[in-house]
């Protein structure tokens, strides 16, 4: 049989003269429709309010860094992290810049429009304040004037403890009424406790309050030698509570010991500024501390004069800055300790702002080594560590301090190499500079060294929430391995599992490289993508791989499809059952790119065939409606010439 003749008869004669002239055009049209179909399917909908393009990302929660990524923001939340093109109502080009979460000031006494505006320029998007019930009401009444920085409140217990007049050490016993009042305050507006310790005889114990409520302690009125013993004693009575020591930069003689203690106790943090000076009023300062500062240079902030601190310090008036209190090695140790957080608070602020008030955070970035490891430790101290001080399930910082799916879009964009020198102690204070953008909950509030007018007001933070539900105690079972409990996530009505934790449990070889994950040298996956490669082949998942809850997550059904050639996977309520398949061993070999692994055909060949069939059918019906040529012996061209 002459298949070529049959083909010509079927196509040319069966579909008519129109198809004869336009068959090639029809095929081209089919391919065009297929291209439009695929492009439309994978094009990101322009639903983002703000997109940041081609920016380098550092997420303190997971410790991951991504190069040249795109970030999509909607309704104040981070909704996508991807290399794929995205479109938004506003676009920011981030080439060569670093994207980090907004900074959190772990203790700030001052507040007001001018002060908060300067802190915003230093990268601060949230601050923590200590207030008692009376001042808290006054502060909340001024809520309409908050324009720059979100506020989290601590309940100040100092007036309660100040009434103690004993001279023997004992644990303070709260009355039932006081305990009830305190719990009510914590349930309403306050997220933590603050205690300014005037005397060391009284030890706080809060066994009637959940351990997730942190305790802030101010020991600036005590001798350096008394600080660590008191902290250790408090820890005995509060073994599982986060404890934060404010103004730790004052304790220069024991700074090394404090940093060592913080490294040993994961629930202990300390805060201050790393500039090597302390603001103080000599008439009010602890005598022991002042004696260790004799012969140090001091600067009178009011009179703007520099001199040496001598034995007549009690006759000095006003606020003084005592200089050169930290050695270079000790300062670098502070910069390399993430649990030493940033604070703008000083005991004696005076009417003139100081370097600590305006440059604490970007100043710390400036002082850090510019290699990524050192820089990221400083960023951790400004972002993720403050959120960990508040571990409550309803913490106001649940969605802060991270660049992950569903987190609040409190973000900074800057070039670390372009952060300039901070203010010197002996000059008029000037705000920090070097930030390209400050974004608070998805809105640009600071841009190119200028505050943006008329942006939405800041607010008080008391209760936080997450965009996903944690499905805890999911039991994973695999033959030959002990069962293990994991936490899955339910996000947008889909279940996601912690990919790397599960791969590690299955004892598979894998490697993480920024946003990419390599499994056994065979599978290559990437955050923000639903494509993956298997050896030299490429195919797709139904949903993107997401960074959530400080881990990489994959949708459960995608996991089953992806590993179907390697495992037999089943799931029941709160259980994931896994058996090794016949190709399991391929995932534990390195360099399997040449392996011939078969998996499902690329599904998008089907729309291509449908597109071609659709064009053929359309051409057929168009041909039926055209007038037929009746001159059997004349082709269309001959008939035209005869006329």
């Amino acid at each position: 049989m002459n298949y070529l003749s049959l083909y010509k008869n079927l196509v040319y004669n069966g579909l008519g003269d129109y198809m004869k002239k336009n068959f090639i055009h029809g095929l081209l049209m089919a391919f065009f429709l297929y291209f439009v179909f695929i492009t439309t399917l994978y094009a990101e909908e322009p639903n983002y309010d703000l997109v940041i393009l081609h920016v380098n990302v550092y997420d303190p929660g997971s410790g991951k860094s991504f190069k040249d990524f795109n970030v999509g923001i909607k309704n104040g939340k981070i909704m996508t992290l991807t290399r794929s093109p995205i479109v938004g109502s506003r676009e920011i080009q981030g080439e060569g810049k670093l994207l980090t979460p907004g900074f959190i000031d772990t203790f700030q006494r001052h507040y007001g429009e001018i002060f908060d505006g300067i802190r915003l320029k230093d990268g601060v998007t949230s601050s923590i304040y200590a207030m008692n019930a009376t001042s808290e009401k006054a502060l909340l009444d001024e809520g309409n004037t908050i324009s720059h920085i979100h506020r989290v409140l601590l309940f100040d217990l100092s007036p309660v403890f100040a009434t103690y007049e004993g001279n023997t050490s004992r644990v303070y016993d709260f009355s039932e009424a006081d305990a009830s009042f305190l719990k009510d305050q914590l349930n309403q507006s306050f997220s933590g406790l603050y205690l300014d310790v005037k005397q060391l005889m009284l030890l706080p114990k809060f066994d009637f309050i959940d351990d997730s409520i942190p305790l802030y302690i101010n020991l600036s009125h005590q001798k350096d030698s008394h600080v660590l013993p008191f902290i250790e004693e408090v820890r005995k009575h509060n073994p599982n509570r986060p404890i934060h020591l404010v103004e730790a930069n004052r304790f220069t003689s024991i700074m090394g010991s404090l940093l060592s203690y913080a490294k040993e106790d994961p629930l202990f943090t300390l805060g201050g500024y790393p500039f090597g000076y302390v603001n103080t009023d000599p008439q009010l300062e602890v005598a022991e501390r002042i004696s260790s500062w004799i012969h140090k240079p001091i600067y009178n902030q009011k009179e703007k004069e520099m001199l040496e601190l001598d034995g007549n310090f009690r006759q000095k008036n006003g606020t003084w800055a005592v200089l050169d209190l930290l050695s270079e090695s000790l300062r670098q140790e502070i910069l390399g300790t993430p649990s030493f957080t940033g604070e703008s608070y000083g005991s004696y602020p005076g009417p003139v702002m100081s370097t600590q008030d305006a440059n604490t955070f970007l100043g710390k970035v400036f002082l850090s080594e510019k290699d990524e490891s050192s820089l990221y430790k400083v960023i951790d101290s400004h972002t993720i560590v403050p959120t960990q001080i508040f571990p409550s399930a309803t913490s106001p910082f649940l969605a802060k301090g991270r660049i992950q799916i569903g987190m609040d879009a409190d973000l900074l964009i800057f070039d670390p190499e372009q952060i300039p020198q901070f203010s010197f102690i002996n000059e008029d204070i000037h705000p920090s500079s070097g930030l390209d953008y400050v974004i608070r909950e998805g809105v640009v509030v600071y841009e190119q060294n200028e505050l943006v007018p008329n942006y939405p007001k800041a607010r008080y933070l008391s209760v936080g929430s997450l965009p996903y539900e944690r499905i805890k105690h999911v039991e994973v079972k695999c033959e030959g391995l002990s069962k293990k409990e994991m936490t899955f996530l339910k996000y947008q009505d889909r279940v996601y599992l912690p990919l790397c934790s599960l791969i590690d449990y299955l004892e598979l070889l894998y490697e993480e490289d920024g946003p990419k994950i390599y499994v056994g040298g065979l599978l290559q996956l990437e955050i923000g993508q639903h494509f993956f490669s298997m050896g030299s082949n490429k195919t797709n998942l139904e949903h993107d791989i997401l960074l959530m809850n400080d881990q990489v997550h994959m949708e459960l059904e995608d996991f089953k499809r992806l590993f179907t050639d390697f495992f037999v996977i089943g799931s029941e309520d709160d259980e994931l059952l896994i058996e090794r398949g016949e190709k399991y061993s391929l995932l534990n070999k390195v360099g399997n790119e040449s392996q011939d692994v078969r998996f499902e055909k690329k599904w998008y060949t089907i729309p291509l065939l449908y597109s071609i069939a659709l064009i053929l059918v359309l051409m057929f019906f168009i041909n039926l409606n055209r007038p037929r040529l009746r001159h059997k012996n004349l082709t269309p061209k001959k008939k035209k010439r005869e006329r």
Side-chain angles (χ1 to χ4, degrees):
M1 178 181 291
N2 190 331
Y3 289 99
L4 182 60
S5 299
L6 178 61
Y7 173 80
K8 289 182 177 179
N9 287 332
L10 286 173
V11 174
Y12 283 78
N13 297 330
L15 294 181
D17 296 312
Y18 182 85
M19 283 294 294
K20 181 178 178 181
K21 295 176 62 177
N22 297 281
F23 178 69
I24 300 300
H25 294 166
L27 285 179
L28 292 175
M29 186 178 295
F31 280 108
F32 173 75
L33 289 177
Y34 164 73
F35 173 77
V36 171
F37 176 84
I38 293 297
T39 303
T40 303
L41 182 67
Y42 287 110
E44 294 286 349
E45 296 182 1
N47 285 339
Y48 299 112
D49 303 324
L50 174 66
V51 296
I52 306 168
L53 305 176
H54 307 297
V55 71
N56 300 326
V57 177
Y58 174 61
D59 169 46
S62 64
K64 290 182 175 296
S65 58
F66 316 139
K67 304 295 183 183
D68 194 26
F69 250 61
N70 299 325
V71 181
I73 298 166
K74 186 175 178 63
N75 296 328
K77 302 287 185 179
I78 298 170
M79 299 305 295
T80 188
L81 298 166
T82 181
R83 291 189 199 273
S84 300
I86 57 176
V87 180
S89 301
R90 179 179 179 182
E91 296 182 356
I92 293 177
Q93 296 296 328
E95 290 91 342
K97 306 293 184 180
L98 179 64
L99 182 73
T100 74
F103 297 154
I104 299 173
D105 190 336
T106 50
F107 198 61
Q108 180 179 341
R109 271 289 194 185
H110 311 296
Y111 67 92
E113 295 300 296
I114 296 177
F115 184 81
D116 280 357
I118 290 179
R119 306 301 292 135
L120 190 70
K121 295 178 181 180
D122 203 27
V124 176
T125 54
S126 300
S127 287
I128 299 165
Y129 291 77
M131 298 287 164
N132 57 39
T134 303
S135 58
E136 177 261 348
K137 183 180 185 306
L139 187 62
L140 291 178
D141 287 343
E142 297 177 6
N144 291 330
T145 67
I146 303 176
S147 297
H148 304 298
I149 298 175
H150 293 319
R151 296 173 180 171
V152 172
L153 299 179
L154 306 173
F155 187 82
D156 188 354
L157 289 165
S158 305
V160 176
F161 280 73
T163 61
Y164 178 67
E165 298 179 354
N167 54 10
T168 58
S169 178
R170 71 176 182 85
V171 175
Y172 183 85
D173 294 320
F174 284 85
S175 67
E176 185 175 339
D178 286 344
S180 176
F181 170 76
L182 185 54
K183 287 191 288 187
D184 287 343
Q185 294 298 315
L186 291 171
N187 289 333
Q188 296 176 14
S189 304
F190 296 94
S191 301
L193 304 170
Y194 171 77
L195 179 59
D196 188 347
V197 180
K198 303 296 184 181
Q199 51 183 321
L200 298 174
M201 295 300 176
L202 201 58
L203 296 171
K205 181 181 179 181
F206 305 100
D207 51 359
F208 58 92
I209 296 175
D210 190 275
D211 283 335
S212 64
I213 302 299
L215 172 62
Y216 272 56
I217 298 179
N218 186 343
L219 293 171
S220 61
H221 303 288
Q222 306 302 324
K223 298 178 180 180
D224 289 15
S225 57
H226 292 167
V227 172
L228 259 180
F230 184 79
I231 293 293
E232 291 172 341
E233 193 68 23
V234 172
R235 171 58 75 210
K236 289 180 182 178
H237 297 284
N238 301 270
N240 301 312
R241 188 178 307 282
I243 296 175
H244 181 79
L245 178 64
V246 305
E247 284 197 88
N249 54 279
R250 305 183 69 81
F251 310 119
T252 54
S253 66
I254 60 168
M255 182 58 68
S257 299
L258 286 172
L259 295 176
S260 296
Y261 185 80
K263 293 173 183 177
E264 295 172 0
D265 184 348
L267 293 177
F268 176 72
T269 52
L270 58 166
Y273 47 92
F275 300 139
Y277 73 90
V278 169
N279 285 332
T280 185
D281 184 336
Q283 297 188 64
L284 302 177
E285 189 54 81
V286 177
E288 178 195 60
R289 192 173 298 128
I290 282 287
S291 63
S292 68
W293 293 345
I294 298 297
H295 305 308
K296 292 289 184 181
I298 58 174
Y299 179 72
N300 187 323
Q301 295 188 14
K302 182 178 181 181
E303 303 297 332
K304 296 188 180 299
E305 61 176 337
M306 187 83 72
L307 63 156
E308 185 177 280
L309 188 63
D310 56 26
N312 297 321
F313 62 86
R314 293 299 184 193
Q315 283 70 49
K316 307 297 182 185
N317 293 313
T319 301
W320 295 73
V322 186
L323 311 183
D324 296 341
L325 294 179
L326 288 176
S327 65
E328 178 61 23
S329 61
L330 198 54
R331 189 178 70 181
Q332 289 303 321
E333 188 176 355
I334 289 175
L335 295 172
T337 305
S339 51
F340 190 103
T341 65
E343 294 177 358
S344 61
Y345 170 69
S347 291
Y348 311 101
V352 181
M353 294 190 71
S354 179
T355 302
Q356 68 172 53
D357 301 319
N359 308 127
T360 295
F361 293 87
L362 289 184
K364 196 171 180 180
V365 172
F366 176 87
L367 291 171
S368 68
E369 300 291 338
K370 292 305 185 285
D371 63 278
E372 287 188 349
S373 176
S374 300
L375 176 63
Y376 291 165
K377 286 180 180 178
V378 168
I379 293 173
D380 287 350
S381 73
H382 291 340
T383 54
I384 190 66
V385 174
T387 71
Q388 294 168 344
I389 300 174
F390 297 80
S392 167
T394 58
S395 165
F397 294 115
L398 279 180
K400 306 288 185 184
R402 296 168 172 85
I403 300 183
Q404 299 176 16
I405 300 302
M407 296 294 100
D408 289 346
D410 293 349
L411 304 169
L412 309 178
I413 303 175
F414 63 99
D415 181 352
E417 298 290 341
Q418 299 302 316
I419 301 299
Q421 170 71 50
F422 49 84
S423 305
F424 289 103
I425 193 69
N426 59 346
E427 66 180 8
D428 290 338
I429 194 70
H430 58 77
S432 293
S433 60
L435 294 176
D436 293 280
Y437 297 91
V438 177
I439 300 167
R440 198 194 64 218
E441 293 189 337
V443 178
V444 176
V445 296
Y446 178 74
E447 180 177 357
Q448 305 299 336
N449 296 321
E450 294 291 338
L451 294 175
V452 177
N454 302 320
Y455 55 75
K457 294 182 180 298
R459 56 192 174 87
Y460 290 95
L461 306 177
S462 57
V463 177
S465 62
L466 292 170
Y468 46 76
E469 174 190 352
R470 290 191 178 104
I471 307 174
K472 298 184 178 180
H473 311 303
V474 177
E475 199 169 75
V476 181
K477 299 179 181 178
C478 181
E479 58 174 340
L481 300 174
S482 301
K483 61 184 178 181
K484 183 176 182 178
E485 285 190 349
M486 294 187 183
T487 298
F488 287 16
L489 302 180
K490 187 174 183 181
Y491 177 64
Q492 295 184 342
D493 297 324
R494 293 188 288 270
V495 175
Y496 285 81
L497 52 81
L499 181 60
C500 293
S501 295
L502 191 53
I503 291 174
D504 187 58
Y505 165 73
L506 295 173
E507 299 182 346
L508 299 178
L509 297 175
Y510 76 98
E511 178 184 354
E512 294 184 74
D513 182 13
K516 294 184 178 180
I517 303 168
Y518 303 91
V519 185
L522 180 63
L523 293 175
Q524 177 180 320
L525 306 109
E526 183 173 329
I527 291 172
Q529 298 292 334
H530 50 259
F531 291 105
F532 70 92
S533 62
M534 184 181 292
S536 58
N537 303 299
K538 296 185 183 297
T539 187
N540 65 285
L541 306 167
E542 290 291 328
H543 308 96
D544 285 353
I545 296 174
L546 304 180
L547 181 61
M548 299 187 294
N549 201 34
D550 297 341
Q551 296 188 62
V552 178
H553 282 77
M554 176 181 283
E555 198 267 339
L556 176 59
E557 297 303 318
D558 276 339
F559 178 81
K560 293 179 181 179
R561 285 188 291 267
L562 175 62
F563 289 93
T564 187
D565 288 317
F566 311 101
F567 296 98
V568 178
I569 305 172
S571 58
E572 300 177 1
D573 292 341
D574 299 329
E575 281 189 337
L576 185 66
L577 308 175
I578 303 174
E579 295 181 9
R580 293 184 176 93
E582 53 186 48
K583 294 182 180 179
Y584 159 77
S585 60
L586 293 177
L587 290 180
N588 263 349
K589 295 180 180 179
V590 178
N592 285 329
E593 289 81 357
S594 61
Q595 292 286 343
D596 182 18
V597 181
R598 296 184 180 182
F599 45 91
E600 289 186 6
K601 299 293 183 182
K602 298 176 183 178
W603 67 269
Y604 47 79
T605 57
I606 297 175
L608 173 59
L609 296 176
Y610 273 115
S611 299
I612 295 174
L614 178 62
I615 292 298
L616 294 177
V617 172
L618 288 175
M619 290 180 174
F620 176 76
F621 281 104
I622 291 174
N623 183 59
L624 288 179
N625 293 327
R626 292 190 62 210
R628 304 291 295 178
L629 297 176
R630 301 300 182 186
H631 293 71
K632 294 182 180 180
N633 297 326
L634 294 176
T635 64
K637 291 183 179 179
K638 288 182 179 179
K639 185 175 180 180
K640 184 176 180 180
R641 285 197 299 270
E642 186 178 281
R643 289 179 179 177

